[in-house]
Amino acid sequence: MTVFSVPEAREELARLLPVLTEIVELRADAAELASSLNGGEPTDLGGLPELKAAQARLDDLMTAVQATGAELKGFAPLLVDFPSDLDGVPVLLCWLEGDEGLHWYHRADLGFAGRRPLA
């Protein structure tokens, strides 16, 4: 398992932001396509082939995120954790869709409910 320092995690997040942005955009497209195919409002995005392509691309992007050592914990909203260690305590540096940077952490044993701001 990769263990990131805070600066390393922030650098990795900066590299991942274009990927994460694409995941958010494709997630919305896939939801719209799936709704349309299941009797919802028609969409100009296409049909089943475009939905399958979006799903395949999402799988590739999520695999790319996890290959960095980051952990993809949530899909909607998007949640990415970076394993770390603060003062000898195992923690996860936590980025949630909409966050402008990496400013939160939680102890590994507490999960998201234990989220605290980084000092």
Side-chain angles (χ1 to χ4, degrees), residues 103-116:
H103 305 292
W104 298 89
Y105 77 97
H106 56 82
R107 284 188 357 212
D109 63 332
L110 294 180
F112 190 83
R115 198 171 189 233
R116 298 179 182 273

Side-chain angles (χ1 to χ4, degrees), residues 79-81 92-96 99 102 104-106 112 115:
L79 177 62
V80 180
D81 285 340
L92 297 169
L93 305 174
C94 184
W95 179 86
L96 178 65
D99 287 351
L102 192 60
W104 298 89
Y105 77 97
H106 56 82
F112 190 83
R115 198 171 189 233

Side-chain angles (χ1 to χ4, degrees), residues 58-99:
L58 281 168
D59 286 344
D60 289 345
L61 292 169
M62 291 186 296
T63 298
V65 170
Q66 293 176 333
T68 68
E71 300 173 2
L72 192 56
K73 294 287 185 79
F75 184 65
L78 201 56
L79 177 62
V80 180
D81 285 340
F82 297 86
S84 189
D85 184 282
L86 294 179
D87 299 323
V89 178
V91 299
L92 297 169
L93 305 174
C94 184
W95 179 86
L96 178 65
E97 181 180 328
D99 287 351

Side-chain angles (χ1 to χ4, degrees), residues 19-64:
V19 173
L20 299 173
T21 298
E22 187 176 353
I23 289 172
V24 170
E25 292 168 359
L26 280 169
R27 181 188 68 203
D29 289 351
E32 185 175 328
L33 286 160
S35 175
S36 178
L37 289 168
N38 288 315
E41 293 291 320
T43 179
D44 292 334
L45 295 176
L48 185 58
E50 288 77 16
L51 175 59
K52 294 294 184 187
Q55 290 170 333
R57 180 69 179 146
L58 281 168
D59 286 344
D60 289 345
L61 292 169
M62 291 186 296
T63 298

